[in-house]
Amino acid sequence: MKPAPFVYHAPRTLDEALAALGEVGHDGKILAGGQSLIPMLSMRLATPAHLIDINGVAGLDTIEVADGYVRVGACVRHAQLERSEEAYAALPLLRQALRNVAHPAIRNRGTTVGSIAHADAAGEMPSVAVLTDAVMEVCGPAGSREIAAGDFFTGPLETTLGADELVTAVRFGRFPSNTSTGFVESARRSGDYAVAGVALALTSGDGAISAARASFVSVTDVPDVLDLTEVLSGATAEDVAARADGVIEAVRAHVTPESDIHASADYRRMLAAELTRRLIAEVISR
Amino acid sequence: MSELFPVSVSVNGVAHGASVPARRLLSDFLRHDLRLTGTHVGCEHGVCGACTVLLDGAPVRSCLMFAVQAAGHEITTVEGCGTIEAMGPVQQALTESHGLQCGFCTPGFITTITAYLRENPEPTAEEAREAISGNLCRCTGYQNIVKSVLRAAEIIRGTDAEAGDRQEAPA
Amino acid sequence: MTTRQFGAPVQRREDPRLVTGNGRYLDDLGHTAYEAAFVRSPHAHARIVDIDVTEALDTPGLVGIWTHEDLEGPVGEHLPVLIPHPALIAPRTGRALAKDEVNHVGEAIVFVVAEDRYAAEDAAAKIRVDYEFLPAVVGVEKSRAATELVHDDVPGNVSAHLLQEVGDLDAAMAGAPHRLSLDLSIERSASIPMEGKGVYAKWDSDAEHLTLWSSTQTSTGVRAAVATRLGLPLAKVDCITPDVGGGFGSKIMHPWPEEVLVPWAAMILGHDVKWTEDRREHFISSTHERGQLQQVEVGFDDEGRVLALDVKFWHDNGAYTPYGIIVPIITATQLLGPYKPGTYRVEFWSLYTNTVLVTPYRGAGRPQGVFAMERTMDAIADHLGIDRAEVRSRNFILPEEMPYDHGLMFQDGRPLKYDSGDFPASLAKLKALVGWDDFAAYREEAEKHGRRVGLGIGCYVEGTGVGPYEGAHIVIETSGRVNVATGLTTQGQGHQTAFAQIVADELGVPLESVHVTTGDTRKMAYAVGTFASRAAVMSGNAVALAARNARAKALKIAADALEVSADDLEIEDGVISVTGAPDTRMDIGMTAVLSNPLRYAFDEAAKAATQFAGTFDPDKPPVADDEEPGLEGKDFYSPTQATFANGMHAAVVETDPVTAEIRILRYCVIHDCGTMINPMIVEGQVHGGVAQGVGGALYERMVYDESGQLLNASFMDFLMPYASEVPHVETDHLETPSPLNPLGIKGAGEAGTIPGSAVIASAIEDAEGFPITRMPISPVELWELRQRHERGEIPSLRRAHSTTTE
């Protein structure tokens, strides 16, 4: 299990990176954290002719917390974001979800933006991206553009990103101040890809839920948001249990899981619904 | 042959240099170019953790990095965690607690635990178990590795209390 | 008084090396060797039509490419049937490289050597093989149906059929007041050591000598097999086992195709060659185990005593049978565990499938046998409404019935005769440890909180320390250093410590002065290997016997020199002295000096052995007729039969009422392996064994699709447990010495693994209230079983409690 040969590009600036990307196009792959890419290279499941290593590109490793968002650069490691107290204070969901991304050694190297660009439906951070209405900052030969998370994912490992484009940062939207979030997933072993997972944001007013949104891991083709506001509106910690059937029904109708060697589609559907029910109960009672 | 890249890297505080192809995995570079064979390769897809080294102090899988990417960084391998004559605290604890059998996975545990205890000097048994949950071991059933984490923490703290004080209790 | 080392939890002497990166495993050797890679079959069953290497020939760094037609003589012939057996009616083995046909995904077809592994893989990727597809036979059921054949000339896909019967089963069954039938299944798993296989060969053309290093469990076996294949005199081949990163059975299989081809290429090329197996190769070309379908019919009386036990099972042996039928024989015999059924009949069919071959994996057929027996015990208990532990105890062989002969032939071709064991005492300890009698109250309390819990139990007996023999050679140097060589290999069991403990005690020398070498044919050419929990029993006793010989010689020399009777001498801390007169003394190193009459003094101490030193009697030859120079001891231990260890496990599990996720809350082990050399090491073996048992029960399986593709050939999808999945193990020991060997030792290596699936199935069944008959079990499978149970497709247990009957 050794990677096939490739031409290695180590740009130092964004312009150099884009130039290299423009040159090689579909024959090239961006190397950021490499924690998903390198195993595929070693197994020779992917044999790109060129690798463009953006780790040396200046200015991509910063986290910026602003009023409306947390902006994460393309080379920010999961661990860096997970540990950021500023990011946690602004958007606790980031840390809540990041703790479920593989194991710490992988998080020390893997990048949050890279895992979103990789668009694996079993990834945690794509589901966080959609739940936070994140915006992808994208650079390409034609200049820069922004893609809303909802428009970004088109299928398993597929996005609307052009072959000559690079996601330079992701802006995760912050929730209103009276919003509580949570993230839970169930994997066969700790650190494995989830059998099912759910990210949740509950907004309350006067002790009752006023808005509720969820997104999922491993049970939808592309990460998208399920609005549970109608089901949960007005529920309180004391009486939310009575909404369980509605929640379960809504989740079951929303998800589109597939069977694989670890679990059947039916099981994943059940699990996604049950995890959501439990997470709502937990988040609302905080 | 493919293009060679000069790689200068500090490993265990010693400057090393070699010219290698871009695709040379860091694990192979350490083992076969620098001949630091303490870092082991168990899966080459980042799951087992045997090849874990510290990159600027943080544990990473050396099979999931290219050697060229390590240029300019500080790497610590198991060889940098102590010697036979002067074992480091984690090495000493593993030896005292029978925390290894075949020893193949052990270097990855040592680097992982070393970094963990720097940030979490007083773990509970439960935390110790979680701390090693990203590394596979096929021999020990992990119980004595958990014990070793607790014992290493004691050695580092300089307390001479028996590791038994903080033994794991069944769930 | 010298501290007794035997029985003490001595820290391992190998550890300082291993924890500091100073271990030397196979791939740590041969940095300048050429490296090998293989083109392996991507198809489970196909004819090879054409192999085109043209495109690969200009690969930078390529050294050579070989296909079967390039192999000459024995190198290309079928690999040996290692363990022939009369019931193995249709043995088939593969070749170093496939000729004409492949029978499993992963079978080696083309051998590539290059300057490094990267280049070898580059070349391998460019080689084109054309195949004509043949139907793949995957799984026991498909093989048993035999609508398609794995080997054209093996009808019914049956490699072996064996029936053993004790007593008149049909009569006993007919007369039994109660009868039950069980259909059971265990899936494939595998050893999966952290280090894969590997071989490194060095051909010395000046000396015409081949040295190979292999990550093997038998260096003598590899040496003999390779010498034969390559047409070399045995004297011109040595095999050294470096540090080995775990074996668990998979590395006892030999010779691997790579073990033949790598040294062959080293000779042809005149250059060192190495092959280091990668993880994907390991999954698809190293051996698996476990897969069986079982049918049990049991007749029993009102008290739950088994009158008749009739077992049929179908064993998946994979594509080839080089290791014979050891695994199903063990299942058939060790199934009986601590029990004495009135009559017993067992019949098995070993079946070919187009999957990786099957050879022993830790437990070696016992986990399946114990699963069958223990599921049966639980079924009897439930049928009669008797406590599960009680039913077991009513069927126990009692201590006063030892030795107990089952009347069957065991895996070593010798009678299945238990030497010792106290099963009632083990059960009493287990019940106390797990709180068996308090569990009902615990369950009631848990149920009040909506939790679902269950208690499971599993008992086993394990024949350990099978022959034919192991030996030891001890050489004491003039410095007092004691070199111990035994031929079997080490892959984590702490032999350098345990054997040193034995020798230190037997000789009366400090532990630090004893140095143990294993698995090196240069040091000990006669040996069998490390498998079947035999190392401590076999080599442990061999080193003790050899040490006693060396001790006798040292005492004789000292007695002569000190002019006292050897009977009056003792050895402590390496000093020989007269009992009661400690000033009359001599270091053991000095006896080594005197043991070797010299002409040339090489150091100060050696002067005492030279010809003018006046040390020797001028009327006698310097070396007596019945003596040899040197202070050495050599001996072999060869028992008449295996010794039988036993144990009992209990587990408490919790199953999530909605998601069916399964959590082990407690795991308790009572373990009896006779006298323990090093209880710390034994405990470690138990922990590790349990982890593999738990893995086999809840996580690990080989998922083949219908076409014979292994769908989970990576650590991402083969779910070897992390620390987060393995329970804390609570242990207690019983030490019932074996009367069969001088040290009273029984084997301990496999024990922890054996009852895993039986115990966890028992506990889940107890939690759920319906029978569990297939293992391993995942949450989704349990969830689906619940649905079938709710639909009435699976009956409730008779004892089913409130959670499942509401």
Side-chain angles (χ1 to χ4, degrees), chain A residues 1-5 39 42-44 103 186 188-190 192-193 261-264 266-267 270-271 274 278, chain C residues 118 121-122 278 656 658-659 661 698-699 712 715-720 722 724-725 778-780 783-784:
Chain A
M1 285 169 48
K2 307 292 182 191
S42 286
M43 295 182 196
R44 302 198 181 204
H103 295 109
S186 174
R188 291 300 322 275
R189 299 176 298 183
S190 73
D192 279 351
Y193 284 118
I261 62 172
H262 300 301
S264 65
D266 284 348
Y267 181 82
M270 174 280 295
L271 187 61
E274 178 65 9
R278 291 181 189 183
Chain C
Y118 291 77
E121 289 190 21
D122 292 345
D278 72 25
D656 187 296
V658 178
T659 65
E661 288 164 308
L698 296 177
Y699 297 99
N712 62 338
F715 276 160
M716 274 181 264
D717 289 318
F718 178 84
L719 306 177
M720 187 190 290
Y722 289 105
S724 37
E725 285 72 48
S778 64
V780 62
W783 184 71
E784 286 167 359

Side-chain angles (χ1 to χ4, degrees), chain C residues 561-638:
Chain C
L562 298 172
E563 298 179 326
V564 297
S565 163
D567 294 341
D568 296 334
L569 294 174
E570 59 187 24
I571 314 181
E572 260 187 46
D573 241 356
V575 178
I576 304 170
S577 62
V578 174
T579 309
D583 291 342
T584 308
R585 56 191 283 164
M586 174 179 277
D587 287 351
I588 199 166
M590 181 50 74
T591 64
V593 172
L594 299 177
S595 73
N596 183 20
L598 294 172
R599 187 169 177 87
Y600 313 113
F602 53 86
D603 67 6
E604 198 59 35
K607 287 177 180 170
T610 55
Q611 57 202 34
F612 301 111
T615 321
F616 301 102
D617 184 340
D619 295 330
K620 292 180 183 167
V623 177
D625 289 345
D626 58 347
E627 281 292 354
E628 293 175 4
L631 182 52
E632 303 193 6
K634 190 170 184 176
D635 212 333
F636 290 84
Y637 173 66
S638 181

Side-chain angles (χ1 to χ4, degrees), chain C residues 6 23 51 72 81 109 126 128 139 164 220 261 316 323 356 419 465 498 505 592 597 619 647 716 723:
Chain C
F6 191 103
I51 302 173
E72 285 163 15
V81 178
I109 300 172
K126 294 177 192 162
R128 302 279 163 256
Q164 295 199 68
T220 49
L261 295 172
D316 177 355
Y323 211 77
V356 177
D419 50 334
D505 276 3
D619 295 330
M716 274 181 264

Side-chain angles (χ1 to χ4, degrees), chain C residues 36-40 96-97 108-112 124 257-258 261-262 275 281:
Chain C
F38 290 82
V39 175
R40 296 179 185 278
L97 292 173
I109 300 172
V110 187
F111 174 43
V112 179
E258 301 85 0
L261 295 172
V262 166
W275 169 71
E281 286 183 292

Side-chain angles (χ1 to χ4, degrees), chain A residues 2-23:
Chain A
K2 307 292 182 191
F6 51 79
V7 177
Y8 180 69
H9 304 261
R12 312 302 297 181
T13 66
L14 190 54
D15 286 345
E16 284 177 26
L18 293 171
L21 201 52
E23 200 180 304

